[in-house]
Amino acid sequence: MSLFAVICHDKPDHLEVRKANRDAHLAYLEATGVVKQAGPFLNAAGEMYGSLLVIDVADRAAAEAWAKSDPYAVADLFSSVAIEQWNRVIG
């Protein structure tokens, strides 16, 4: 297994899309069992505008498939998604 950081930025003015799909997104994170760390990015007003997730999957293809199946991605929330293999050094 390998760790991957999934770095997502929301499309502008899509906070309501994020809120409407948040329960499904959180259920997906729980159900898949691969998420090691997760949380939203916050702007200066404290509003969510993106996500950072660290997942433990077999390879990049599995990370990409996982990210594409996230309810946020299915709802077309993101303007960009970057997937980077990551090596935990501390923590």
Side-chain angles (χ1 to χ4, degrees), residues 4-67:
F4 289 86
V6 182
I7 305 154
C8 310
H9 290 97
D10 297 359
K11 291 178 178 176
D13 302 316
H14 273 61
L15 182 57
E16 292 308 314
V17 173
R18 174 176 279 274
K19 288 179 179 179
N21 290 278
R22 192 159 197 261
D23 288 344
H25 165 75
L26 294 175
Y28 178 72
L29 271 56
E30 181 72 26
T32 59
V34 300
V35 179
K36 301 303 178 190
Q37 299 276 327
F41 293 123
L42 303 175
N43 65 18
E47 297 170 330
M48 299 175 285
Y49 74 91
S51 302
L52 171 63
L53 307 104
V54 177
I55 60 174
D56 191 358
V57 294
D59 54 28
R60 178 171 298 279
E64 291 171 356
W66 184 91

